[in-house]
Amino acid sequence: MDKETAYKEIDDNGGESYARFFAAQNPDHPLTPFCHRYLFDRDQEARTARSHEERGFALKSLAQMESSSHVAQIAASASRDAANAAHTSATAARRSAFWTMIAAIASALGVAVNAALNLGWLEWARHLVR
């Protein structure tokens, strides 16, 4: 009996379950070594398939990690840009507040001088100085 004929007989009768049962029930039959070899070959094929699946999963996982890393870098860059914009805005606000304070002081001085003129205090002060 050759390998192809034995494997065909095993496949025709139910595959792995048949090979296991036949080998256990007929240890001295000429088909039994082929049954063991058939089971070994199917196990190797299954392991190879799992290995390819695991490798594919690992590659997909690595690609997702790289994508996540890229997204995190973009988010960090956007955050840095936002922080720089906030700093620039704060600096401009500080400058604006300073000049607003200067304008308020000048306005208050103007109001005080105007009130002094209207109340005649400057005339009175000029009279005292003479």
Side-chain angles (χ1 to χ4, degrees):
M1 178 175 290
D2 67 337
K3 180 179 172 183
E4 288 87 27
T5 306
Y7 278 25
K8 182 173 179 353
E9 182 179 334
I10 293 168
D11 282 333
D12 290 345
N13 287 305
E16 290 181 33
S17 57
Y18 172 77
R20 262 189 229 96
F21 177 77
F22 188 88
Q25 296 298 317
N26 304 298
D28 296 328
H29 195 279
L31 184 61
T32 300
F34 291 107
C35 289
H36 291 298
R37 182 64 190 188
Y38 179 88
L39 292 170
F40 177 78
D41 288 346
R42 293 304 174 261
D43 183 55
Q44 287 298 101
E45 289 172 6
R47 285 176 193 230
T48 302
R50 275 195 308 273
S51 173
H52 288 303
E53 285 178 16
E54 289 170 358
R55 188 175 302 123
F57 177 75
L59 290 174
K60 191 181 295 183
S61 178
L62 178 62
Q64 288 175 343
M65 286 172 35
E66 287 176 350
S67 175
S68 295
S69 173
H70 183 67
V71 168
Q73 288 173 350
I74 290 171
S77 177
S79 178
R80 189 174 35 256
D81 292 345
N84 288 337
H87 177 72
T88 302
S89 176
T91 302
R94 232 180 280 116
R95 262 190 250 118
S96 176
F98 173 77
W99 289 111
T100 301
M101 178 187 69
I102 297 298
I105 291 170
S107 177
L109 285 174
V111 168
V113 168
N114 192 24
L117 284 173
N118 287 336
L119 294 174
W121 291 349
L122 290 179
E123 290 296 324
W124 177 74
R126 206 180 307 170
H127 174 66
L128 285 177
V129 172
R130 279 190 213 180

